[in-house]
mmCIF file of all heavy atoms in Angstrom:
data_model
loop_
_atom_site.group_PDB
_atom_site.id
_atom_site.type_symbol
_atom_site.label_atom_id
_atom_site.label_comp_id
_atom_site.label_asym_id
_atom_site.label_seq_id
_atom_site.Cartn_x
_atom_site.Cartn_y
_atom_site.Cartn_z
ATOM 1 N N VAL A 7 105.402 101.947 103.033
ATOM 2 C CA VAL A 7 104.335 102.554 103.835
ATOM 3 C C VAL A 7 103.966 103.917 103.243
ATOM 4 O O VAL A 7 102.820 104.165 102.876
ATOM 5 C CB VAL A 7 104.756 102.700 105.317
ATOM 6 C CG1 VAL A 7 103.730 103.498 106.099
ATOM 7 C CG2 VAL A 7 104.986 101.337 105.944
ATOM 8 N N ALA A 10 102.717 103.972 99.420
ATOM 9 C CA ALA A 10 101.486 103.276 99.049
ATOM 10 C C ALA A 10 100.638 104.236 98.213
ATOM 11 O O ALA A 10 100.506 105.418 98.549
ATOM 12 C CB ALA A 10 100.726 102.835 100.294
ATOM 13 N N GLU A 11 100.094 103.735 97.109
ATOM 14 C CA GLU A 11 99.411 104.610 96.151
ATOM 15 C C GLU A 11 97.912 104.376 96.070
ATOM 16 O O GLU A 11 97.437 103.254 96.140
ATOM 17 C CB GLU A 11 99.988 104.411 94.758
ATOM 18 C CG GLU A 11 101.396 104.934 94.604
ATOM 19 C CD GLU A 11 101.877 104.884 93.168
ATOM 20 O OE1 GLU A 11 101.258 105.554 92.331
ATOM 21 O OE2 GLU A 11 102.853 104.152 92.925
ATOM 22 N N SER A 12 97.225 105.484 95.899
ATOM 23 C CA SER A 12 95.792 105.486 95.644
ATOM 24 C C SER A 12 95.591 106.069 94.246
ATOM 25 O O SER A 12 96.220 107.074 93.899
ATOM 26 C CB SER A 12 95.079 106.362 96.669
ATOM 27 O OG SER A 12 93.780 106.678 96.250
ATOM 28 N N ASP A 13 94.723 105.465 93.459
ATOM 29 C CA ASP A 13 94.460 105.994 92.123
ATOM 30 C C ASP A 13 93.919 107.421 92.177
ATOM 31 O O ASP A 13 94.230 108.233 91.312
ATOM 32 C CB ASP A 13 93.458 105.100 91.377
ATOM 33 C CG ASP A 13 94.066 103.767 90.967
ATOM 34 O OD1 ASP A 13 95.311 103.680 90.881
ATOM 35 O OD2 ASP A 13 93.298 102.816 90.743
ATOM 36 N N SER A 14 93.149 107.722 93.201
ATOM 37 C CA SER A 14 92.513 109.038 93.265
ATOM 38 C C SER A 14 93.258 110.062 94.123
ATOM 39 O O SER A 14 93.076 111.264 93.951
ATOM 40 C CB SER A 14 91.080 108.897 93.785
ATOM 41 O OG SER A 14 91.080 108.345 95.080
ATOM 42 N N GLU A 15 94.103 109.590 95.077
ATOM 43 C CA GLU A 15 94.725 110.517 96.019
ATOM 44 C C GLU A 15 96.247 110.581 95.968
ATOM 45 O O GLU A 15 96.864 111.283 96.754
ATOM 46 C CB GLU A 15 94.283 110.187 97.441
ATOM 47 C CG GLU A 15 92.785 110.348 97.656
ATOM 48 C CD GLU A 15 92.398 110.214 99.101
ATOM 49 O OE1 GLU A 15 92.965 110.952 99.929
ATOM 50 O OE2 GLU A 15 91.547 109.366 99.402
ATOM 51 N N GLY A 16 96.885 109.836 95.091
ATOM 52 C CA GLY A 16 98.346 109.857 95.022
ATOM 53 C C GLY A 16 98.974 108.933 96.037
ATOM 54 O O GLY A 16 98.470 107.848 96.289
ATOM 55 N N ILE A 17 100.088 109.384 96.647
ATOM 56 C CA ILE A 17 100.783 108.532 97.610
ATOM 57 C C ILE A 17 100.325 108.826 99.041
ATOM 58 O O ILE A 17 99.859 109.919 99.352
ATOM 59 C CB ILE A 17 102.317 108.646 97.508
ATOM 60 C CG1 ILE A 17 102.791 110.047 97.869
ATOM 61 C CG2 ILE A 17 102.811 108.230 96.141
ATOM 62 C CD1 ILE A 17 104.286 110.145 98.075
ATOM 63 N N TYR A 18 100.482 107.838 99.903
ATOM 64 C CA TYR A 18 100.079 107.945 101.302
ATOM 65 C C TYR A 18 100.812 109.090 102.003
ATOM 66 O O TYR A 18 100.207 109.933 102.634
ATOM 67 C CB TYR A 18 100.336 106.602 101.994
ATOM 68 C CG TYR A 18 99.723 106.492 103.359
ATOM 69 C CD1 TYR A 18 98.370 106.236 103.497
ATOM 70 C CD2 TYR A 18 100.493 106.619 104.501
ATOM 71 C CE1 TYR A 18 97.787 106.126 104.756
ATOM 72 C CE2 TYR A 18 99.924 106.508 105.755
ATOM 73 C CZ TYR A 18 98.578 106.264 105.877
ATOM 74 O OH TYR A 18 98.009 106.146 107.118
ATOM 75 N N ARG A 22 100.367 112.062 106.331
ATOM 76 C CA ARG A 22 99.255 111.178 106.721
ATOM 77 C C ARG A 22 99.743 110.144 107.742
ATOM 78 O O ARG A 22 99.053 109.859 108.725
ATOM 79 C CB ARG A 22 98.677 110.505 105.488
ATOM 80 C CG ARG A 22 97.417 109.738 105.784
ATOM 81 C CD ARG A 22 96.781 109.217 104.501
ATOM 82 N NE ARG A 22 95.605 108.457 104.822
ATOM 83 C CZ ARG A 22 94.368 108.795 104.490
ATOM 84 N NH1 ARG A 22 94.145 109.881 103.786
ATOM 85 N NH2 ARG A 22 93.349 108.044 104.836
ATOM 86 N N ILE A 26 98.253 109.692 111.655
ATOM 87 C CA ILE A 26 97.731 108.435 112.211
ATOM 88 C C ILE A 26 98.514 108.038 113.462
ATOM 89 O O ILE A 26 97.932 107.616 114.467
ATOM 90 C CB ILE A 26 97.764 107.296 111.163
ATOM 91 C CG1 ILE A 26 96.741 107.572 110.063
ATOM 92 C CG2 ILE A 26 97.514 105.935 111.800
ATOM 93 C CD1 ILE A 26 95.295 107.560 110.538
ATOM 94 N N ILE A 39 99.843 99.445 114.964
ATOM 95 C CA ILE A 39 100.137 98.807 113.675
ATOM 96 C C ILE A 39 98.840 98.458 112.946
ATOM 97 O O ILE A 39 98.700 98.729 111.745
ATOM 98 C CB ILE A 39 101.007 97.543 113.872
ATOM 99 C CG1 ILE A 39 102.392 97.919 114.403
ATOM 100 C CG2 ILE A 39 101.119 96.759 112.571
ATOM 101 C CD1 ILE A 39 103.281 98.649 113.428
ATOM 102 N N SER A 40 97.882 97.900 113.650
ATOM 103 C CA SER A 40 96.604 97.532 113.027
ATOM 104 C C SER A 40 95.889 98.750 112.458
ATOM 105 O O SER A 40 95.362 98.708 111.339
ATOM 106 C CB SER A 40 95.687 96.845 114.041
ATOM 107 O OG SER A 40 96.229 95.628 114.437
ATOM 108 N N SER A 41 95.863 99.829 113.208
ATOM 109 C CA SER A 41 95.210 101.053 112.742
ATOM 110 C C SER A 41 95.905 101.614 111.514
ATOM 111 O O SER A 41 95.257 102.063 110.570
ATOM 112 C CB SER A 41 95.210 102.110 113.852
ATOM 113 O OG SER A 41 94.473 101.671 114.952
ATOM 114 N N LEU A 42 97.211 101.571 111.532
ATOM 115 C CA LEU A 42 97.980 102.070 110.395
ATOM 116 C C LEU A 42 97.765 101.207 109.157
ATOM 117 O O LEU A 42 97.533 101.725 108.054
ATOM 118 C CB LEU A 42 99.461 102.143 110.767
ATOM 119 C CG LEU A 42 100.397 102.765 109.745
ATOM 120 C CD1 LEU A 42 99.911 104.127 109.291
ATOM 121 C CD2 LEU A 42 101.788 102.871 110.331
ATOM 122 N N GLU A 43 97.812 99.888 109.330
ATOM 123 C CA GLU A 43 97.580 98.988 108.193
ATOM 124 C C GLU A 43 96.186 99.205 107.607
ATOM 125 O O GLU A 43 96.028 99.263 106.387
ATOM 126 C CB GLU A 43 97.744 97.533 108.619
ATOM 127 C CG GLU A 43 99.180 97.135 108.839
ATOM 128 C CD GLU A 43 99.326 95.699 109.308
ATOM 129 O OE1 GLU A 43 98.403 95.165 109.961
ATOM 130 O OE2 GLU A 43 100.369 95.106 109.021
ATOM 131 N N LYS A 44 95.188 99.352 108.465
ATOM 132 C CA LYS A 44 93.820 99.573 107.983
ATOM 133 C C LYS A 44 93.722 100.900 107.235
ATOM 134 O O LYS A 44 93.094 100.985 106.182
ATOM 135 C CB LYS A 44 92.824 99.532 109.129
ATOM 136 C CG LYS A 44 91.415 99.740 108.661
ATOM 137 C CD LYS A 44 90.405 99.566 109.746
ATOM 138 C CE LYS A 44 89.038 99.869 109.154
ATOM 139 N NZ LYS A 44 88.005 99.054 109.609
ATOM 140 N N ASP A 45 94.334 101.949 107.779
ATOM 141 C CA ASP A 45 94.275 103.251 107.124
ATOM 142 C C ASP A 45 94.933 103.215 105.746
ATOM 143 O O ASP A 45 94.414 103.799 104.793
ATOM 144 C CB ASP A 45 94.916 104.322 108.004
ATOM 145 C CG ASP A 45 94.605 105.716 107.509
ATOM 146 O OD1 ASP A 45 93.409 106.092 107.516
ATOM 147 O OD2 ASP A 45 95.534 106.427 107.094
ATOM 148 N N ILE A 46 96.058 102.523 105.644
ATOM 149 C CA ILE A 46 96.734 102.398 104.346
ATOM 150 C C ILE A 46 95.850 101.623 103.378
ATOM 151 O O ILE A 46 95.685 102.024 102.212
ATOM 152 C CB ILE A 46 98.118 101.720 104.499
ATOM 153 C CG1 ILE A 46 99.063 102.627 105.284
ATOM 154 C CG2 ILE A 46 98.703 101.384 103.126
ATOM 155 C CD1 ILE A 46 100.345 101.950 105.722
ATOM 156 N N ASP A 47 95.272 100.512 103.833
ATOM 157 C CA ASP A 47 94.398 99.709 102.966
ATOM 158 C C ASP A 47 93.197 100.514 102.472
ATOM 159 O O ASP A 47 92.851 100.458 101.293
ATOM 160 C CB ASP A 47 93.918 98.454 103.693
ATOM 161 C CG ASP A 47 95.021 97.429 103.875
ATOM 162 O OD1 ASP A 47 96.044 97.507 103.161
ATOM 163 O OD2 ASP A 47 94.861 96.543 104.740
ATOM 164 N N VAL A 48 92.568 101.258 103.366
ATOM 165 C CA VAL A 48 91.416 102.084 102.983
ATOM 166 C C VAL A 48 91.857 103.170 102.005
ATOM 167 O O VAL A 48 91.206 103.419 100.990
ATOM 168 C CB VAL A 48 90.734 102.694 104.231
ATOM 169 C CG1 VAL A 48 89.725 103.763 103.851
ATOM 170 C CG2 VAL A 48 90.084 101.604 105.059
ATOM 171 N N PHE A 49 92.983 103.825 102.305
ATOM 172 C CA PHE A 49 93.515 104.867 101.434
ATOM 173 C C PHE A 49 93.743 104.339 100.020
ATOM 174 O O PHE A 49 93.436 105.016 99.041
ATOM 175 C CB PHE A 49 94.836 105.408 102.012
ATOM 176 C CG PHE A 49 95.523 106.414 101.139
ATOM 177 C CD1 PHE A 49 95.140 107.747 101.186
ATOM 178 C CD2 PHE A 49 96.549 106.046 100.288
ATOM 179 C CE1 PHE A 49 95.774 108.683 100.378
ATOM 180 C CE2 PHE A 49 97.187 106.968 99.479
ATOM 181 C CZ PHE A 49 96.797 108.299 99.529
ATOM 182 N N CYS A 50 94.269 103.126 99.923
ATOM 183 C CA CYS A 50 94.587 102.519 98.630
ATOM 184 C C CYS A 50 93.401 101.780 98.023
ATOM 185 O O CYS A 50 93.547 101.100 97.007
ATOM 186 C CB CYS A 50 95.757 101.551 98.771
ATOM 187 S SG CYS A 50 97.270 102.355 99.296
ATOM 188 N N ASP A 51 92.248 101.891 98.662
ATOM 189 C CA ASP A 51 91.038 101.203 98.210
ATOM 190 C C ASP A 51 91.279 99.699 98.094
ATOM 191 O O ASP A 51 90.795 99.048 97.166
ATOM 192 C CB ASP A 51 90.528 101.791 96.899
ATOM 193 C CG ASP A 51 89.085 101.446 96.617
ATOM 194 O OD1 ASP A 51 88.319 101.240 97.580
ATOM 195 O OD2 ASP A 51 88.723 101.358 95.427
ATOM 196 N N TYR A 52 92.072 99.161 99.008
ATOM 197 C CA TYR A 52 92.379 97.734 99.105
ATOM 198 C C TYR A 52 93.030 97.170 97.838
ATOM 199 O O TYR A 52 93.011 95.969 97.614
ATOM 200 C CB TYR A 52 91.125 96.927 99.471
ATOM 201 C CG TYR A 52 90.606 97.288 100.838
ATOM 202 C CD1 TYR A 52 89.622 98.258 100.988
ATOM 203 C CD2 TYR A 52 91.121 96.686 101.973
ATOM 204 C CE1 TYR A 52 89.158 98.612 102.256
ATOM 205 C CE2 TYR A 52 90.656 97.032 103.235
ATOM 206 C CZ TYR A 52 89.671 97.997 103.367
ATOM 207 O OH TYR A 52 89.222 98.334 104.614
ATOM 208 N N GLN A 53 93.640 98.041 97.032
ATOM 209 C CA GLN A 53 94.345 97.566 95.842
ATOM 210 C C GLN A 53 95.710 97.023 96.247
ATOM 211 O O GLN A 53 96.369 97.574 97.125
ATOM 212 C CB GLN A 53 94.539 98.703 94.841
ATOM 213 C CG GLN A 53 93.249 99.224 94.275
ATOM 214 C CD GLN A 53 93.477 100.401 93.335
ATOM 215 O OE1 GLN A 53 94.594 100.857 93.152
ATOM 216 N NE2 GLN A 53 92.402 100.887 92.744
ATOM 217 N N GLU A 54 96.117 95.949 95.596
ATOM 218 C CA GLU A 54 97.424 95.369 95.876
ATOM 219 C C GLU A 54 98.511 96.375 95.520
ATOM 220 O O GLU A 54 98.454 97.030 94.488
ATOM 221 C CB GLU A 54 97.613 94.084 95.074
ATOM 222 C CG GLU A 54 98.876 93.340 95.441
ATOM 223 C CD GLU A 54 98.962 91.989 94.767
ATOM 224 O OE1 GLU A 54 97.926 91.431 94.395
ATOM 225 O OE2 GLU A 54 100.095 91.507 94.630
ATOM 226 N N GLN A 55 99.499 96.476 96.392
ATOM 227 C CA GLN A 55 100.598 97.413 96.184
ATOM 228 C C GLN A 55 101.818 96.683 95.647
ATOM 229 O O GLN A 55 102.042 95.514 95.952
ATOM 230 C CB GLN A 55 100.940 98.117 97.495
ATOM 231 C CG GLN A 55 99.802 98.945 98.057
ATOM 232 C CD GLN A 55 99.433 100.105 97.170
ATOM 233 O OE1 GLN A 55 100.237 100.991 96.918
ATOM 234 N NE2 GLN A 55 98.195 100.095 96.681
ATOM 235 N N ARG A 59 105.796 96.480 102.571
ATOM 236 C CA ARG A 59 105.830 97.433 103.673
ATOM 237 C C ARG A 59 106.115 96.699 104.976
ATOM 238 O O ARG A 59 105.595 95.613 105.229
ATOM 239 C CB ARG A 59 104.555 98.257 103.751
ATOM 240 C CG ARG A 59 103.305 97.504 104.024
ATOM 241 C CD ARG A 59 102.105 98.456 104.016
ATOM 242 N NE ARG A 59 100.916 97.781 104.438
ATOM 243 C CZ ARG A 59 99.748 97.863 103.819
ATOM 244 N NH1 ARG A 59 99.622 98.613 102.762
ATOM 245 N NH2 ARG A 59 98.713 97.208 104.276
#
Side-chain angles (χ1 to χ4, degrees):
V7 172
E11 290 187 62
S12 164
D13 289 339
S14 61
E15 297 188 55
I17 64 168
Y18 191 78
R22 188 173 178 115
I26 291 295
I39 294 291
S40 294
S41 297
L42 186 52
E43 286 178 332
K44 181 174 177 142
D45 193 64
I46 293 169
D47 288 342
V48 169
F49 176 83
C50 297
D51 198 28
Y52 296 93
Q53 295 177 357
E54 187 173 336
Q55 298 295 298
R59 63 182 187 227

